[in-house]
Coordinates of all heavy atoms in Angstrom, one line a residue:
M15 N 8.4 -13.4 -40.8 CA 7.1 -12.9 -40.6 C 6.6 -12.3 -42.0 O 7.1 -11.4 -42.5 CB 7.2 -11.7 -39.6 CG 6.0 -10.8 -39.4 SD 5.2 -11.3 -38.0 CE 3.5 -10.9 -38.3
E16 N 5.5 -12.9 -42.3 CA 4.9 -12.5 -43.6 C 3.6 -11.9 -43.3 O 2.8 -12.2 -42.5 CB 4.7 -13.8 -44.5 CG 4.3 -13.5 -45.9 CD 4.3 -14.7 -46.8 OE1 5.4 -15.4 -46.7 OE2 3.5 -14.8 -47.5
R17 N 3.4 -10.7 -44.0 CA 2.2 -9.9 -43.7 C 1.1 -10.4 -44.6 O 1.3 -11.0 -45.7 CB 2.5 -8.4 -44.1 CG 3.3 -7.7 -43.1 CD 3.4 -6.3 -43.4 NE 3.5 -6.0 -44.8 CZ 3.8 -4.8 -45.4 NH1 3.7 -3.8 -44.7 NH2 4.0 -4.7 -46.6
A18 N -0.2 -10.1 -44.2 CA -1.3 -10.5 -45.0 C -1.3 -9.7 -46.4 O -0.9 -8.5 -46.4 CB -2.6 -10.1 -44.2
G19 N -1.4 -10.4 -47.4 CA -1.5 -9.7 -48.7 C 0.0 -9.8 -49.4 O -0.1 -9.5 -50.7
A20 N 1.0 -10.1 -48.7 CA 2.2 -10.2 -49.3 C 2.5 -11.8 -49.7 O 2.0 -12.5 -48.8 CB 3.3 -9.7 -48.3
S21 N 3.2 -11.9 -50.7 CA 3.4 -13.2 -51.0 C 4.9 -13.4 -51.1 O 5.7 -12.6 -51.6 CB 2.9 -13.4 -52.5 OG 3.3 -14.7 -52.9
S22 N 5.3 -14.6 -50.6 CA 6.8 -14.9 -50.6 C 7.4 -15.2 -51.9 O 8.6 -15.2 -52.1 CB 7.1 -16.0 -49.5 OG 6.4 -17.2 -49.9
D23 N 6.5 -15.7 -52.8 CA 7.0 -16.0 -54.2 C 7.1 -14.7 -55.1 O 7.4 -14.8 -56.4 CB 6.1 -17.1 -54.8 CG 4.7 -16.5 -55.1 OD1 4.4 -15.4 -54.8 OD2 3.9 -17.3 -55.6
G24 N 6.8 -13.6 -54.6 CA 7.0 -12.3 -55.4 C 5.7 -11.9 -56.1 O 5.7 -10.8 -56.6
G25 N 4.6 -12.7 -56.1 CA 3.5 -12.2 -56.5 C 2.6 -11.5 -55.5 O 3.0 -11.3 -54.5
G26 N 1.5 -11.1 -56.0 CA 0.6 -10.3 -55.1 C 1.1 -8.9 -54.8 O 1.6 -8.3 -55.8
V27 N 1.0 -8.4 -53.6 CA 1.4 -7.0 -53.3 C 2.9 -6.9 -53.3 O 3.7 -7.7 -52.8 CB 0.8 -6.7 -51.9 CG1 1.3 -5.2 -51.6 CG2 -0.7 -6.7 -51.9
G28 N 3.4 -5.8 -54.1 CA 4.8 -5.6 -54.2 C 5.4 -5.0 -53.0 O 5.0 -3.8 -52.8
V29 N 6.2 -5.6 -52.2 CA 6.8 -5.0 -51.0 C 8.3 -5.1 -51.1 O 8.8 -6.2 -51.3 CB 6.3 -5.7 -49.7 CG1 7.1 -5.1 -48.5 CG2 4.7 -5.6 -49.6
S30 N 9.0 -3.9 -51.1 CA 10.4 -4.0 -51.3 C 11.1 -4.7 -50.1 O 10.4 -4.6 -49.0 CB 11.0 -2.6 -51.5 OG 10.8 -1.8 -50.3
P31 N 12.2 -5.2 -50.2 CA 12.9 -5.8 -49.0 C 13.1 -4.6 -48.0 O 13.0 -4.9 -46.7 CB 14.3 -6.2 -49.5 CG 14.0 -6.5 -51.0 CD 13.0 -5.5 -51.4
E32 N 13.4 -3.5 -48.3 CA 13.6 -2.3 -47.4 C 12.2 -2.2 -46.6 O 12.2 -1.9 -45.4 CB 14.0 -1.1 -48.0 CG 15.4 -1.2 -48.6 CD 15.4 -1.8 -50.1 OE1 14.4 -1.8 -50.7 OE2 16.5 -2.3 -50.5
G33 N 11.2 -2.1 -47.4 CA 9.8 -1.9 -46.7 C 9.5 -2.9 -45.7 O 9.0 -2.7 -44.7
E34 N 9.9 -4.3 -46.2 CA 9.5 -5.3 -45.3 C 10.4 -5.3 -44.1 O 9.9 -5.5 -42.9 CB 9.9 -6.7 -46.0 CG 9.4 -7.9 -45.3 CD 7.9 -8.1 -45.3 OE1 7.2 -7.6 -46.1 OE2 7.5 -8.8 -44.3
E35 N 11.6 -4.9 -44.2 CA 12.6 -4.7 -43.0 C 12.0 -3.5 -42.1 O 12.1 -3.7 -40.9 CB 14.0 -4.4 -43.5 CG 14.9 -4.3 -42.3 CD 16.4 -4.1 -42.8 OE1 16.6 -4.4 -44.0 OE2 17.2 -3.8 -42.0
R36 N 11.6 -2.4 -42.6 CA 11.2 -1.3 -41.8 C 9.9 -1.8 -41.2 O 9.7 -1.5 -39.9 CB 10.8 -0.1 -42.7 CG 12.1 0.7 -43.0 CD 11.7 2.0 -43.5 NE 10.6 1.9 -44.7 CZ 10.8 2.3 -45.9 NH1 12.0 2.7 -46.2 NH2 9.8 2.1 -46.8
F37 N 9.0 -2.5 -41.8 CA 7.8 -3.1 -41.1 C 8.2 -4.0 -40.0 O 7.6 -3.8 -38.8 CB 6.9 -3.8 -42.1 CG 5.8 -4.6 -41.4 CD1 4.6 -3.9 -41.1 CD2 5.9 -5.9 -41.1 CE1 3.5 -4.5 -40.6 CE2 4.8 -6.6 -40.5 CZ 3.6 -5.9 -40.2
N38 N 9.0 -4.9 -40.3 CA 9.5 -5.8 -39.1 C 10.1 -5.1 -38.0 O 9.8 -5.5 -36.8 CB 10.4 -6.9 -39.7 CG 9.6 -7.8 -40.6 OD1 8.5 -8.1 -40.5 ND2 10.4 -8.4 -41.6
D39 N 11.0 -4.1 -38.3 CA 11.6 -3.3 -37.2 C 10.5 -2.5 -36.4 O 10.5 -2.7 -35.1 CB 12.5 -2.3 -37.7 CG 13.9 -2.9 -38.3 OD1 14.1 -4.1 -38.0 OD2 14.6 -2.2 -39.0
A40 N 9.5 -2.0 -37.0 CA 8.4 -1.2 -36.3 C 7.7 -2.2 -35.4 O 7.2 -2.0 -34.3 CB 7.6 -0.5 -37.3
Y41 N 7.4 -3.5 -36.1 CA 6.6 -4.5 -35.4 C 7.3 -4.9 -34.1 O 6.7 -5.0 -33.0 CB 6.3 -5.6 -36.3 CG 5.5 -6.7 -35.8 CD1 4.1 -6.6 -35.6 CD2 6.0 -7.8 -35.3 CE1 3.4 -7.5 -35.0 CE2 5.4 -8.9 -34.8 CZ 4.0 -8.7 -34.6 OH 3.1 -9.7 -34.1
E42 N 8.6 -5.2 -34.2 CA 9.5 -5.7 -33.1 C 9.5 -4.6 -32.0 O 9.3 -4.8 -30.8 CB 10.8 -6.1 -33.4 CG 10.8 -7.3 -34.4 CD 10.2 -8.6 -33.6 OE1 10.6 -8.7 -32.5 OE2 9.5 -9.3 -34.3
K43 N 9.6 -3.3 -32.3 CA 9.7 -2.2 -31.5 C 8.3 -2.1 -30.7 O 8.2 -1.9 -29.5 CB 10.0 -0.9 -32.2 CG 11.5 -0.8 -32.5 CD 11.7 0.5 -33.2 CE 13.2 0.6 -33.6 NZ 13.4 1.9 -34.5
A44 N 7.2 -2.3 -31.4 CA 5.9 -2.2 -30.9 C 5.7 -3.3 -29.8 O 5.2 -3.1 -28.7 CB 4.8 -2.2 -31.9
L45 N 6.2 -4.5 -30.2 CA 6.0 -5.7 -29.3 C 6.8 -5.4 -28.0 O 6.4 -5.7 -26.9 CB 6.5 -7.0 -29.9 CG 5.6 -7.5 -31.0 CD1 6.3 -8.8 -31.6 CD2 4.3 -7.9 -30.3
L46 N 8.1 -4.9 -28.2 CA 8.9 -4.6 -27.0 C 8.3 -3.4 -26.1 O 8.2 -3.7 -24.9 CB 10.4 -4.1 -27.4 CG 11.2 -3.7 -26.4 CD1 11.6 -4.7 -25.4 CD2 12.6 -3.1 -27.1
R47 N 7.8 -2.4 -26.7 CA 7.2 -1.4 -26.0 C 5.9 -1.9 -25.2 O 5.7 -1.6 -24.0 CB 6.7 -0.2 -26.9 CG 6.1 0.9 -26.2 CD 5.9 2.1 -27.1 NE 5.5 3.3 -26.4 CZ 4.3 3.7 -26.4 NH1 3.3 3.2 -27.2 NH2 4.0 4.9 -25.7
K48 N 5.1 -2.7 -25.9 CA 4.0 -3.4 -25.2 C 4.4 -4.3 -23.9 O 3.8 -4.0 -22.9 CB 3.2 -4.2 -26.1 CG 2.0 -4.9 -25.6 CD 1.2 -5.6 -26.7 CE -0.1 -6.2 -26.2 NZ -0.9 -6.9 -27.1
R49 N 5.5 -5.1 -24.1 CA 5.9 -5.9 -23.1 C 6.5 -5.0 -21.9 O 6.2 -5.3 -20.7 CB 7.0 -6.8 -23.6 CG 7.6 -7.7 -22.4 CD 8.6 -8.7 -23.1 NE 9.8 -8.1 -23.6 CZ 10.8 -7.5 -22.8 NH1 10.8 -7.7 -21.5 NH2 11.9 -7.0 -23.4
L50 N 7.2 -4.1 -22.2 CA 7.8 -3.2 -21.2 C 6.7 -2.4 -20.4 O 6.7 -2.2 -19.1 CB 8.7 -2.1 -21.7 CG 10.1 -2.8 -22.3 CD1 11.0 -1.7 -23.0 CD2 10.8 -3.4 -21.3
F51 N 5.6 -2.0 -21.2 CA 4.6 -1.3 -20.5 C 3.8 -2.2 -19.6 O 3.4 -1.8 -18.4 CB 3.6 -0.7 -21.5 CG 2.5 0.2 -20.9 CD1 2.8 1.4 -20.4 CD2 1.3 -0.2 -21.0 CE1 1.8 2.2 -19.8 CE2 0.2 0.6 -20.5 CZ 0.6 1.8 -19.9
K52 N 3.5 -3.5 -20.0 CA 2.9 -4.4 -19.1 C 3.7 -4.7 -17.8 O 3.1 -4.8 -16.8 CB 2.7 -5.8 -19.9 CG 1.6 -5.7 -20.9 CD 1.3 -7.1 -21.4 CE 0.1 -7.1 -22.4 NZ -0.2 -8.5 -22.9
E53 N 5.0 -4.8 -18.1 CA 5.9 -4.9 -16.8 C 5.8 -3.8 -15.9 O 5.8 -3.9 -14.7 CB 7.4 -5.1 -17.3 CG 7.6 -6.5 -18.0 CD 9.0 -6.7 -18.5 OE1 9.8 -5.7 -18.3 OE2 9.2 -7.7 -19.2
Y54 N 5.8 -2.5 -16.5 CA 5.7 -1.3 -15.7 C 4.3 -1.4 -14.9 O 4.3 -1.0 -13.8 CB 5.7 -0.1 -16.7 CG 5.4 1.2 -16.1 CD1 6.2 2.0 -15.4 CD2 4.1 1.8 -16.2 CE1 5.9 3.2 -14.8 CE2 3.7 3.0 -15.5 CZ 4.7 3.7 -14.9 OH 4.3 4.8 -14.3
L55 N 3.2 -1.6 -15.6 CA 1.9 -1.7 -14.9 C 1.9 -2.8 -13.8 O 1.5 -2.5 -12.7 CB 0.8 -2.1 -15.9 CG 0.4 -1.0 -16.9 CD1 -0.6 -1.7 -17.9 CD2 0.0 0.3 -16.4
S56 N 2.6 -3.9 -14.0 CA 2.7 -4.9 -13.0 C 3.5 -4.4 -11.9 O 3.2 -4.7 -10.6 CB 3.3 -6.2 -13.7 OG 3.4 -7.1 -12.6
R57 N 4.6 -3.9 -12.1 CA 5.6 -3.4 -11.1 C 5.0 -2.4 -10.1 O 5.2 -2.4 -8.9 CB 6.8 -3.0 -11.7 CG 8.0 -2.4 -10.8 CD 9.2 -2.1 -11.4 NE 9.2 -1.1 -12.5 CZ 9.3 -1.3 -13.8 NH1 9.5 -2.6 -14.3 NH2 9.1 -0.4 -14.7
H58 N 4.2 -1.6 -10.7 CA 3.6 -0.5 -9.9 C 2.2 -0.9 -9.4 O 1.5 0.0 -8.8 CB 3.6 0.8 -10.6 CG 4.9 1.4 -10.8 ND1 5.6 1.9 -9.8 CD2 5.7 1.4 -11.9 CE1 6.8 2.3 -10.3 NE2 6.9 2.0 -11.6
Q59 N 1.7 -2.1 -9.7 CA 0.4 -2.7 -9.4 C -0.8 -1.7 -9.7 O -1.7 -1.5 -9.0 CB 0.3 -2.9 -7.8 CG 1.3 -3.9 -7.4 CD 1.3 -4.1 -5.8 OE1 1.2 -3.1 -5.1 NE2 1.2 -5.3 -5.5
V60 N -0.7 -1.1 -10.9 CA -1.5 -0.2 -11.5 C -3.0 -0.9 -11.7 O -4.1 -0.4 -11.1 CB -1.1 0.4 -12.8 CG1 -2.3 1.2 -13.4 CG2 0.0 1.2 -12.6
L61 N -3.1 -2.0 -12.4 CA -4.4 -2.7 -12.6 C -5.0 -3.1 -11.2 O -6.2 -3.0 -11.1 CB -4.2 -3.9 -13.5 CG -3.6 -3.4 -14.9 CD1 -3.5 -4.7 -15.8 CD2 -4.6 -2.4 -15.6
E62 N -4.1 -3.6 -10.3 CA -4.7 -4.0 -9.0 C -5.3 -2.8 -8.3 O -6.4 -2.9 -7.7 CB -3.6 -4.6 -8.2 CG -3.1 -5.9 -8.6 CD -2.1 -5.9 -9.7 OE1 -1.8 -4.8 -10.3 OE2 -1.5 -6.9 -10.0
R63 N -4.7 -1.7 -8.3 CA -5.2 -0.5 -7.7 C -6.5 0.0 -8.3 O -7.4 0.4 -7.6 CB -4.1 0.6 -7.8 CG -2.9 0.4 -7.1 CD -2.6 0.7 -5.8 NE -3.2 1.9 -5.1 CZ -2.4 3.0 -4.8 NH1 -1.2 2.9 -5.1 NH2 -3.0 4.0 -4.4
F64 N -6.6 -0.1 -9.7 CA -7.8 0.3 -10.4 C -8.9 -0.6 -10.0 O -10.0 -0.2 -9.7 CB -7.6 0.3 -11.9 CG -7.0 1.5 -12.4 CD1 -6.1 1.5 -13.3 CD2 -7.4 2.8 -11.9 CE1 -5.4 2.6 -13.9 CE2 -6.8 4.0 -12.5 CZ -5.7 3.9 -13.5
N65 N -8.6 -2.0 -9.9 CA -9.7 -2.9 -9.6 C -10.1 -2.7 -8.2 O -11.3 -2.8 -7.9 CB -9.1 -4.3 -9.7 CG -9.0 -4.8 -11.2 OD1 -9.8 -4.3 -12.0 ND2 -8.1 -5.7 -11.4
L66 N -9.2 -2.4 -7.2 CA -9.6 -2.2 -5.8 C -10.5 -0.9 -5.8 O -11.5 -0.8 -5.1 CB -8.4 -2.0 -5.0 CG -7.7 -3.3 -4.6 CD1 -6.4 -3.0 -4.0 CD2 -8.5 -4.2 -3.8
A67 N -10.2 0.2 -6.6 CA -11.0 1.4 -6.5 C -12.5 1.1 -7.0 O -13.4 1.6 -6.6 CB -10.3 2.5 -7.4
I68 N -12.5 0.3 -8.1 CA -13.8 0.0 -8.7 C -14.6 -0.9 -7.7 O -15.8 -0.7 -7.5 CB -13.6 -0.8 -10.2 CG1 -13.0 0.3 -11.1 CG2 -15.0 -1.3 -10.6 CD1 -13.9 1.3 -11.5
E69 N -13.9 -1.8 -7.0 CA -14.5 -2.7 -6.0 C -15.1 -1.8 -4.9 O -16.2 -2.0 -4.4 CB -13.6 -3.8 -5.4 CG -13.4 -4.8 -6.5 CD -12.4 -5.8 -6.0 OE1 -12.0 -5.8 -4.9 OE2 -12.0 -6.7 -6.8
A70 N -14.4 -0.8 -4.5 CA -14.8 0.1 -3.4 C -16.0 0.9 -3.9 O -17.0 1.0 -3.0 CB -13.7 1.0 -3.0
L71 N -16.1 1.3 -5.1 CA -17.2 2.0 -5.6 C -18.3 1.1 -5.7 O -19.5 1.5 -5.2 CB -16.9 2.5 -7.1 CG -18.0 3.3 -7.7 CD1 -18.3 4.5 -6.9 CD2 -17.6 3.6 -9.1
F72 N -18.2 -0.1 -6.0 CA -19.3 -1.1 -6.1 C -19.9 -1.4 -4.6 O -21.0 -1.7 -4.5 CB -18.8 -2.5 -6.7 CG -19.8 -3.6 -6.7 CD1 -20.8 -3.6 -7.6 CD2 -19.8 -4.6 -5.8 CE1 -21.7 -4.6 -7.6 CE2 -20.7 -5.6 -5.8 CZ -21.7 -5.6 -6.7
E73 N -19.0 -1.3 -3.7 CA -19.4 -1.6 -2.3 C -20.0 -0.5 -1.7 O -20.6 -0.6 -0.5 CB -18.2 -2.0 -1.4 CG -17.5 -3.4 -1.9 CD -18.5 -4.5 -1.6 OE1 -19.3 -4.5 -0.7 OE2 -18.3 -5.5 -2.4
C74 N -20.1 0.7 -2.2 CA -20.8 1.9 -1.6 C -22.3 1.6 -1.5 O -23.0 1.1 -2.4 CB -20.6 3.1 -2.5 SG -19.1 3.8 -2.6
S75 N -22.8 1.9 -0.2 CA -24.3 1.8 -0.1 C -25.1 2.8 -0.9 O -26.1 2.5 -1.4 CB -24.5 2.0 1.4 OG -24.2 3.2 1.9
E76 N -24.5 4.0 -1.1 CA -25.1 5.0 -2.0 C -24.0 5.4 -3.1 O -23.0 5.8 -2.6 CB -25.6 6.2 -1.3 CG -26.8 5.9 -0.5 CD -27.3 7.2 0.1 OE1 -27.3 8.3 -0.6 OE2 -27.8 7.2 1.3
L77 N -24.3 5.2 -4.3 CA -23.3 5.5 -5.3 C -23.2 7.1 -5.3 O -24.2 7.8 -5.4 CB -23.7 5.0 -6.7 CG -23.6 3.5 -6.8 CD1 -24.2 3.1 -8.0 CD2 -22.3 2.9 -6.6
P78 N -22.0 7.6 -5.5 CA -21.8 9.1 -5.6 C -22.3 9.6 -6.9 O -22.3 8.8 -7.9 CB -20.2 9.2 -5.5 CG -19.7 7.9 -5.8 CD -20.7 6.8 -5.5
Q79 N -22.8 10.8 -6.8 CA -23.3 11.5 -8.0 C -22.2 11.5 -9.1 O -22.5 11.3 -10.3 CB -23.8 12.9 -7.7 CG -24.5 13.6 -8.9 CD -25.9 13.1 -9.1 OE1 -26.5 12.4 -8.2 NE2 -26.3 13.1 -10.2
D80 N -21.0 11.9 -8.7 CA -19.8 11.9 -9.6 C -18.8 10.8 -9.0 O -18.3 11.1 -8.0 CB -19.2 13.3 -9.7 CG -18.0 13.4 -10.6 OD1 -17.7 12.4 -11.4 OD2 -17.4 14.5 -10.7
P81 N -18.5 9.8 -9.8 CA -17.7 8.7 -9.2 C -16.2 9.1 -9.3 O -15.4 8.5 -8.6 CB -17.9 7.5 -10.2 CG -18.4 8.1 -11.4 CD -19.2 9.4 -11.1
F82 N -15.8 10.0 -10.1 CA -14.3 10.4 -10.3 C -13.7 10.9 -9.0 O -12.5 10.4 -8.7 CB -14.2 11.3 -11.4 CG -14.5 10.6 -12.7 CD1 -15.7 10.9 -13.4 CD2 -13.7 9.5 -13.2 CE1 -16.1 10.2 -14.5 CE2 -14.1 8.8 -14.4 CZ -15.3 9.2 -15.1
P83 N -14.3 11.8 -8.2 CA -13.6 12.2 -7.0 C -13.4 11.0 -6.0 O -12.3 10.9 -5.4 CB -14.5 13.3 -6.4 CG -15.2 13.9 -7.6 CD -15.4 12.7 -8.5
F84 N -14.5 10.2 -5.9 CA -14.4 9.0 -5.1 C -13.3 8.1 -5.6 O -12.5 7.6 -4.8 CB -15.6 8.2 -5.2 CG -15.6 6.9 -4.4 CD1 -16.0 6.9 -3.0 CD2 -15.3 5.8 -4.9 CE1 -15.9 5.7 -2.3 CE2 -15.3 4.5 -4.3 CZ -15.6 4.5 -3.0
L85 N -13.2 7.9 -6.9 CA -12.2 6.9 -7.4 C -10.7 7.5 -7.2 O -9.8 6.8 -6.8 CB -12.4 6.7 -8.9 CG -13.7 5.8 -9.2 CD1 -13.9 5.9 -10.7 CD2 -13.4 4.4 -8.7
M86 N -10.6 8.8 -7.4 CA -9.3 9.5 -7.2 C -8.8 9.4 -5.7 O -7.6 9.0 -5.4 CB -9.3 11.0 -7.7 CG -9.4 11.1 -9.2 SD -9.3 12.7 -9.8 CE -10.8 13.4 -9.3
D87 N -9.8 9.7 -4.8 CA -9.5 9.5 -3.4 C -9.0 8.0 -3.1 O -8.2 7.8 -2.3 CB -10.7 9.9 -2.5 CG -10.9 11.4 -2.5 OD1 -10.0 12.2 -2.9 OD2 -12.1 11.8 -2.1
T88 N -9.8 7.1 -3.6 CA -9.5 5.7 -3.3 C -8.1 5.3 -3.9 O -7.3 4.6 -3.3 CB -10.5 4.8 -3.9 OG1 -11.8 5.2 -3.3 CG2 -10.3 3.3 -3.6
L89 N -7.8 5.9 -5.1 CA -6.5 5.5 -5.6 C -5.3 6.3 -4.9 O -4.2 5.7 -4.9 CB -6.4 6.1 -7.1 CG -7.3 5.2 -8.1 CD1 -7.4 5.8 -9.4 CD2 -6.7 3.8 -8.2
K90 N -5.6 7.3 -4.2 CA -4.6 7.9 -3.5 C -4.2 7.3 -2.2 O -3.2 7.4 -1.6 CB -5.1 9.4 -3.0 CG -5.0 10.4 -4.2 CD -5.6 11.7 -3.8 CE -5.7 12.6 -5.0 NZ -6.3 13.9 -4.5
T91 N -5.1 6.4 -1.7 CA -4.9 5.6 -0.5 C -3.8 4.6 -0.8 O -3.8 3.8 -1.8 CB -6.2 4.7 -0.1 OG1 -7.2 5.8 0.0 CG2 -5.9 4.1 1.1
P92 N -2.8 4.5 0.2 CA -1.8 3.5 -0.1 C -2.2 2.0 -0.2 O -3.2 1.8 0.5 CB -0.9 3.6 1.2 CG -1.2 5.0 1.7 CD -2.5 5.3 1.4
L93 N -1.7 1.3 -1.0 CA -2.2 -0.1 -1.3 C -2.1 -0.9 -0.1 O -2.9 -1.7 0.1 CB -1.3 -0.7 -2.4 CG -1.8 -2.0 -3.1 CD1 -3.2 -1.7 -3.5 CD2 -1.0 -2.5 -4.1
T94 N -1.1 -0.7 0.8 CA -0.9 -1.5 2.1 C -2.1 -1.2 3.0 O -2.4 -2.0 3.8 CB 0.4 -1.2 2.7 OG1 0.4 0.3 2.9 CG2 1.6 -1.6 1.9
A95 N -2.9 0.0 2.9 CA -3.9 0.2 3.8 C -5.1 -0.4 3.4 O -6.1 -0.3 4.2 CB -4.0 1.8 3.8
S96 N -5.2 -1.0 2.2 CA -6.4 -1.6 1.7 C -6.6 -3.0 2.3 O -5.5 -3.6 2.6 CB -6.5 -1.6 0.3 OG -5.4 -2.5 -0.4
K97 N -7.7 -3.5 2.5 CA -7.9 -4.8 2.9 C -7.5 -5.9 1.9 O -7.6 -5.7 0.8 CB -9.4 -5.0 3.4 CG -10.3 -5.0 2.2 CD -11.7 -5.1 2.7 CE -12.7 -5.1 1.4 NZ -14.0 -5.2 1.6
P98 N -6.9 -7.0 2.5 CA -6.4 -8.0 1.6 C -7.6 -8.7 0.9 O -8.7 -8.8 1.5 CB -5.6 -9.0 2.4 CG -6.1 -8.7 3.7 CD -6.6 -7.2 3.9
R99 N -7.5 -9.0 -0.3 CA -8.6 -9.8 -1.1 C -8.4 -11.3 -1.0 O -7.3 -11.8 -1.0 CB -8.6 -9.3 -2.5 CG -8.9 -7.9 -2.7 CD -8.9 -7.4 -4.1 NE -8.5 -8.4 -5.1 CZ -9.1 -8.4 -6.3 NH1 -9.8 -7.5 -6.8 NH2 -8.6 -9.2 -7.1
P100 N -9.5 -12.0 -0.9 CA -9.4 -13.5 -0.9 C -8.9 -14.0 -2.3 O -9.1 -13.2 -3.2 CB -10.8 -13.9 -0.7 CG -11.7 -12.9 -1.0 CD -10.9 -11.6 -0.8
A101 N -8.4 -15.2 -2.2 CA -7.9 -15.7 -3.6 C -8.9 -15.9 -4.6 O -8.6 -15.5 -5.8 CB -7.2 -17.1 -3.3
S102 N -10.1 -16.2 -4.3 CA -11.3 -16.2 -5.2 C -12.3 -15.4 -4.8 O -12.8 -15.7 -3.7 CB -11.6 -17.6 -5.5 OG -12.3 -18.2 -4.4
A103 N -12.6 -14.3 -5.5 CA -13.6 -13.3 -5.1 C -15.0 -14.0 -5.4 O -15.2 -14.6 -6.4 CB -13.4 -12.0 -5.8
T104 N -16.0 -13.8 -4.5 CA -17.3 -14.3 -4.7 C -18.2 -13.0 -4.3 O -17.9 -12.1 -3.5 CB -17.7 -15.4 -3.8 OG1 -17.5 -15.1 -2.5 CG2 -16.9 -16.6 -4.2
F105 N -19.4 -13.1 -5.0 CA -20.4 -12.0 -4.7 C -20.9 -12.2 -3.3 O -21.3 -13.4 -2.9 CB -21.4 -11.9 -5.7 CG -20.9 -11.3 -6.9 CD1 -20.7 -12.0 -8.1 CD2 -20.7 -9.8 -7.1 CE1 -20.2 -11.4 -9.2 CE2 -20.2 -9.3 -8.2 CZ -20.0 -10.1 -9.3
R106 N -21.2 -11.2 -2.5 CA -21.9 -11.4 -1.3 C -23.4 -11.3 -1.5 O -23.8 -10.9 -2.6 CB -21.6 -10.1 -0.4 CG -20.1 -10.1 0.1 CD -19.9 -9.0 1.0 NE -18.5 -9.0 1.3 CZ -17.8 -7.9 1.5 NH1 -18.3 -6.8 1.5 NH2 -16.5 -8.0 1.7
K107 N -24.2 -11.9 -0.6 CA -25.6 -11.8 -0.7 C -26.1 -10.4 -0.8 O -25.4 -9.5 -0.2 CB -26.2 -12.5 0.5 CG -26.1 -14.0 0.6 CD -26.8 -14.5 1.7 CE -26.7 -16.0 1.8 NZ -27.3 -16.6 3.0
M108 N -27.1 -10.2 -1.6 CA -27.6 -8.9 -1.8 C -28.2 -8.4 -0.4 O -28.6 -9.1 0.4 CB -28.7 -8.9 -2.8 CG -28.3 -9.2 -4.1 SD -27.1 -8.1 -4.8 CE -28.0 -6.8 -5.3
G109 N -28.1 -7.0 -0.1 CA -28.5 -6.6 1.1 C -27.8 -5.3 1.6 O -27.9 -5.0 2.8
G110 N -27.0 -4.8 0.8 CA -26.3 -3.6 1.2 C -24.7 -3.7 1.4 O -24.2 -4.9 1.3
A111 N -24.2 -2.6 1.7 CA -22.7 -2.7 1.8 C -22.3 -3.3 3.2 O -23.1 -3.2 4.1 CB -22.3 -1.3 1.6
P112 N -21.1 -3.8 3.3 CA -20.7 -4.3 4.5 C -20.5 -3.2 5.6 O -20.3 -2.1 5.2 CB -19.2 -5.0 4.2 CG -18.8 -4.3 2.9 CD -20.2 -3.8 2.3
K113 N -20.6 -3.6 6.8 CA -20.5 -2.6 7.9 C -19.2 -2.4 8.3 O -18.3 -3.2 8.3 CB -21.5 -3.1 9.1 CG -22.8 -3.4 8.7 CD -23.8 -2.4 8.9 CE -25.2 -2.7 8.6 NZ -25.9 -2.0 7.6

């Protein structure tokens, strides 16, 4: 892995082998942390829950003055209690929230 500005022929920015190794180690750790975090979010369905809460807010006939209590209450609802979503979401005709 070669960084921008570093040259493999020794010219350009001077980076010691130890510095390059520390950079590569930190980069690999960051990639691992990112991958593990994405797995964590997926395992606990975090993004799905946030999306459902935002969709519920969108479906409100009157938007709350402060959306955060509404979102927090929606997020507290167990995921199994929410309605299943269709495979491809489409917008409903304008005319208010569903009954």
Side-chain angles (χ1 to χ4, degrees):
M15 164 106 210
E16 192 170 312
R17 291 188 314 181
S21 175
S22 61
D23 63 359
V27 177
V29 178
S30 69
E32 295 83 18
E34 188 73 26
E35 185 176 340
R36 280 195 309 249
F37 172 82
N38 289 335
D39 288 345
Y41 181 76
E42 292 299 323
K43 285 180 184 177
L45 287 178
L46 175 62
R47 184 169 188 253
K48 182 178 180 178
R49 182 179 59 80
L50 292 173
F51 187 66
K52 283 184 175 184
E53 290 174 6
Y54 171 84
L55 293 176
S56 178
R57 182 171 54 251
H58 294 285
Q59 298 179 313
V60 172
L61 299 178
E62 291 85 352
R63 303 273 314 259
F64 279 138
N65 284 335
L66 289 171
I68 295 296
E69 286 176 5
L71 182 62
F72 178 75
E73 296 294 332
C74 287
S75 58
E76 287 188 38
L77 294 174
Q79 189 71 25
D80 183 2
F82 294 105
F84 176 87
L85 292 170
M86 289 186 292
D87 288 341
T88 304
L89 288 169
K90 288 177 186 176
T91 305
L93 193 56
T94 56
S96 64
K97 63 181 181 181
R99 296 183 350 158
S102 66
T104 58
F105 285 105
R106 294 186 186 144
K107 290 183 180 179
M108 296 301 282
K113 309 261 183 247

